[in-house]
Each structure stands twice: as C-alpha cells, then as structure tokens.
Amino acid sequence: QVGGAAMSEGPSQPNDHYCWMRPEDIDYPRPVTECHTCPDLGAEMAAALAAASIVFKDNRVYSHKLLHGATTVWDFARKGGSRQTYSVPRSDAAKFYNSTAYWDEYIWGGSWMYLATGNSSYLQFATDAKLAKNAHIYSRPPNYGVFSWDNKLPGAQVLLSRLRLFLSPGYPYEEMLRTYHNQTSTIMCSYLPDFRSFNRTKGGLIQLNHGQPQPLQYVVNAAFLASLFSDYLEAADTPGWYCGPHFYSIEVLRSFARTQMEYILGKNPLKMSYVVGHGKHYPKRVHHRGASIPKKKGVHPGCKGGWTWRDTKKPNPHIIVGAMVAGPDRHDGFKDVRRNRNYTEPTLAGNAGLVAALVALSGEGHGVDKNTMFSAVPPMFPSPPPPPAPWKP
C-alpha cells in the first residue's frame, strides 16, 4: 500500500485523507506498507495476472510474461509459515478495506491458475474439500453470494461451474465441482425477489449489503454474475435452473441483471443516473479530489488549500465521465454532497463491476465463447484410438 490515512498518522498530519489535493500536487511523505505473509493479496494478484494472460494469449511474449508473474506471486501466496490477511489489526487496510479471510482467494486464484496453465495440480487444489470447508461454502454468512473485493467465493464458484458445464472433467473433481455448481444455483436464487434473501428499496434496488451505505458496487457485481451464468446455461443448451421445486428460465436472471443496471442508469424514483456523464441528471459534486479542484497554471493548492473546493456547494469543475458513485440509501434517497462519500464516492472496485455487467448484458443474444477460456487446458480424456485398417483377405 502506498500512502497513509488518519488511522496511522494522527488526525491532523498531512495524509491521503486529511489533505484534499490533486494527485500531481502531493508534496507530503507517503509511506509504503509492505506485507510478507498475505495470501489473500497474493492469490488475488495471481488471479488477475492469470486471467490477463488468457485475454492476451495472441501476444505470446506478453501473455507469457503475465503468466510468469502470476506463477511467482501464487508461490508467494502459498508459501508456508505464519499466514495472515494483509489487513493486520490497527492498520489503514483494516480500517478501509478489511480482509476477512484468504480461503476464498485461494479457490479464486487456483481456478484462474488452472485455466491459464492447464496444470491439474491447481484444479486439485481449488476443488479440495478441506479448502472449501475453510472458505465456509456450506454456511450462510451475511455476505453469502455477495461478490466483492473481500469475497471472491461467488465469482470462483461461477467460474468453476463454467468448467463443469462445458468440459465436465469428471472424477476426481466432479463431487466438488457439482457442489460449487449447486451453490451457484442457490446464489442465483437468492438474487430473485421471490426468495427474500435480500431486501429491495421501493424503487427496486437489491440491498446486497443489507442497507449499509455504498450499495452499487455489490449490485453491479451481482448483475454481472447473473448475466454470465445465464449465458453459460444457454451455451450448455439448458433453459434454466431450479430453486427448490421451482424452475426458472434464464430470462429471469437476465431480467434481474437488466433491471438493476437500468436503476443505476436512471430508471429510479429520483430519475438520477449514478454514472457520471450519463444522461441529463447525474451527480455533480463527486467525492474526487482531481475532479473537484480547478486547474490553474502555476497554482498548486497545498494540503489544506483544497478544502475550499472540498467544502463548496458548487459543481465539480471537471466531469469524471463514466465514474459510478457509491449510490443511494436504502430509501432510494441521494445527497449530491462532495463530503459525503457514502453517496458520491467513486471506486475502482465499483467501476470494474459496472464495466463487466454492461459488457455482459451488451453481448446478449450473441452467446458466449466456449473455447478460448480453456485454450490452455489439455484434453480431459484420452483420444479414441484410430480405426483399424481395412481388412484385406
């Protein structure tokens, strides 16, 4: 981690929370925080690099470089000794992005490493029953089914369901893959209003973080997974899935994803688009330092110099087009106030899900590429022997 916040440096020392400055104007010391036993961070980085190596597989040199990085950081994540999450107590990370465990990242990272390398040892690891138990796949914590920067399990289970639907690896992986697939089906059921696993606002926004602030980053991730899973079912010639005795068509999943994204883009009680620059009515006072401070030649506001811009009621001088803000409260209310980050703060985590969901929904009707994801995976079963030569008397 680069930089610090009030938690570590005192309430009035220059730091990334106390100061309101454009990044290019920062002149105070920014500490670097290292971690040496953080499997959650290592496995997540491995997942990202491994996935990217598949995306860029046509550029062999770059793809190999990515995969080498993934392998290196995966080895770091798996090294023995005293393992603990990156967010050690009383650290900035624990305050702002607390990691609750690393078992879910192990399944997530192992799955992507298998798809990127075809090395079956990664699949054996990701489908290990003890690992699944440690990741609490059989329990129902409050964040069950909520894909986020802290909880990779829903994404990993969708990914492994794809493997089962398209390649059907069989023994010895089938039992755990079937479990992950069943869990994915249950998660998809939980998104539907029939099951009341999560509340909804009167305007229809699902409350995946149970009424807490900043809901949209979780909503876009759920819309992405739902859209993706519906594509997988369609590609496998499966018209839907069961929630208990009830059968639901894939269109129900797509409708869930569409309606949630439409809410975010303006189809809500306030007619407010929560994506900056989209539509006519969107947040104008986004909690973003660079967007809120005007650029004047030769003027470099100091640590406190930007407070004037932080506190003004005027709209931001720069429009941060495409940024999704934190979102409305559980009553569909929204305050376009720069200092209230619970409403107006954009995040990389939120925009990652936003782009993923929009891409998934925009591909509707075009199907999903069944093969490229598995290009590194060797044939699951030996090829049949060639036919015998024609008989000659």
Side-chain angles (χ1 to χ4, degrees):
Q1 173 185 308
V2 178
M7 293 300 295
S8 60
E9 300 173 18
S12 59
Q13 295 299 313
N15 61 56
D16 291 349
H17 257 218
Y18 182 74
C19 298
W20 194 266
M21 305 171 69
R22 295 180 304 184
E24 58 268 35
D25 290 336
I26 290 175
D27 56 2
Y28 53 82
R30 304 186 79 212
V32 174
T33 305
E34 297 179 357
C35 69
H36 299 272
T37 55
C38 41
D40 42 1
L41 188 59
E44 172 58 39
M45 291 174 69
L49 291 166
S53 76
I54 300 171
V55 172
F56 294 105
K57 73 181 187 65
D58 293 336
N59 184 337
R60 292 184 61 185
V61 173
Y62 185 51
S63 180
H64 184 267
K65 185 177 182 180
L66 290 164
L67 189 55
H68 175 73
T71 305
T72 303
V73 78
W74 176 260
D75 291 342
F76 165 81
R78 289 291 298 145
K79 73 178 182 181
S82 176
R83 295 179 181 141
Q84 61 181 0
T85 63
Y86 67 79
S87 52
V88 294
R90 295 183 298 281
S91 67
D92 286 339
K95 171 68 176 174
F96 297 105
Y97 284 97
N98 187 53
S99 176
T100 51
Y102 54 80
W103 306 108
D104 54 319
E105 275 86 9
Y106 269 168
I107 299 175
W108 176 242
S111 302
W112 279 112
M113 289 298 294
Y114 172 66
L115 294 175
T117 65
N119 185 330
S120 61
S121 67
Y122 293 116
L123 183 58
Q124 290 169 7
F125 178 75
T127 56
D128 182 89
K130 290 182 179 177
L131 175 59
K133 186 177 180 181
N134 286 335
H136 302 294
I137 73 161
Y138 302 107
S139 61
R140 294 288 189 275
N143 67 343
Y144 178 78
V146 183
F147 190 34
S148 72
W149 49 266
D150 183 38
N151 182 19
K152 308 297 161 38
L153 192 56
Q157 293 185 142
V158 170
L159 192 60
L160 291 167
S161 296
R162 178 179 186 148
L163 179 68
R164 182 175 187 250
L165 282 166
F166 294 168
L167 295 191
S168 189
Y171 180 84
Y173 314 111
E174 170 59 18
E175 186 175 351
M176 277 312 305
L177 288 178
R178 184 174 65 245
T179 299
Y180 289 142
H181 190 172
N182 290 340
Q183 292 275 350
T184 298
S185 296
T186 302
I187 288 169
M188 296 302 150
C189 298
S190 76
Y191 294 159
L192 306 183
D194 292 0
F195 294 89
R196 300 184 181 179
S197 301
F198 300 99
N199 292 328
R200 278 168 165 73
T201 67
K202 288 184 178 180
L205 185 70
I206 189 169
Q207 298 288 282
L208 291 163
N209 62 339
H210 305 287
Q212 297 297 307
Q214 307 190 7
L216 295 189
Q217 59 175 302
Y218 309 104
V219 175
V220 290
N221 287 345
F224 170 55
L225 292 187
S227 182
L228 207 56
F229 190 60
S230 71
D231 282 347
Y232 295 171
L233 293 177
E234 185 176 51
D237 296 320
T238 306
W241 84 110
Y242 279 95
C243 297
H246 303 289
F247 185 81
Y248 289 86
S249 73
I250 55 177
E251 177 52 33
V252 173
L253 266 186
R254 288 174 176 163
S255 176
F256 160 75
R258 272 197 306 271
T259 54
Q260 295 302 305
M261 296 306 294
E262 286 169 355
Y263 180 106
I264 292 169
L265 295 175
K267 202 171 180 179
N268 55 62
L270 296 179
K271 304 292 188 289
M272 166 74 78
S273 165
Y274 294 110
V275 177
V276 178
H278 177 79
K280 295 180 180 179
H281 187 39
Y282 54 83
K284 303 292 197 299
R285 297 160 190 84
V286 182
H287 182 94
H288 188 277
R289 288 159 173 79
S292 64
I293 301 174
K295 187 173 184 179
K296 293 183 179 179
K297 193 172 183 180
V299 177
H300 303 281
C303 174
K304 297 181 184 181
W307 286 8
T308 301
W309 299 103
R310 180 193 67 187
D311 300 338
T312 182
K313 293 182 180 180
K314 293 180 180 178
N316 287 357
H318 309 296
I319 300 174
I320 182 167
V321 176
M324 184 181 75
V325 296
D329 58 32
R330 57 197 175 99
H331 303 294
D332 296 306
F334 181 78
K335 296 177 181 177
D336 191 4
V337 178
R338 193 175 296 103
R339 290 201 68 169
N340 196 331
R341 62 189 182 90
N342 285 338
Y343 291 103
T344 59
E345 183 179 45
T347 63
L348 293 177
N351 259 69
L354 172 72
V355 172
L358 291 172
V359 168
L361 283 168
S362 67
E364 197 173 318
H366 299 290
V368 66
D369 179 351
K370 294 172 65 173
N371 302 315
T372 304
M373 177 77 87
F374 305 118
S375 55
V377 176
M380 289 288 173
F381 308 102
S383 302
W391 181 76
K392 292 180 180 180

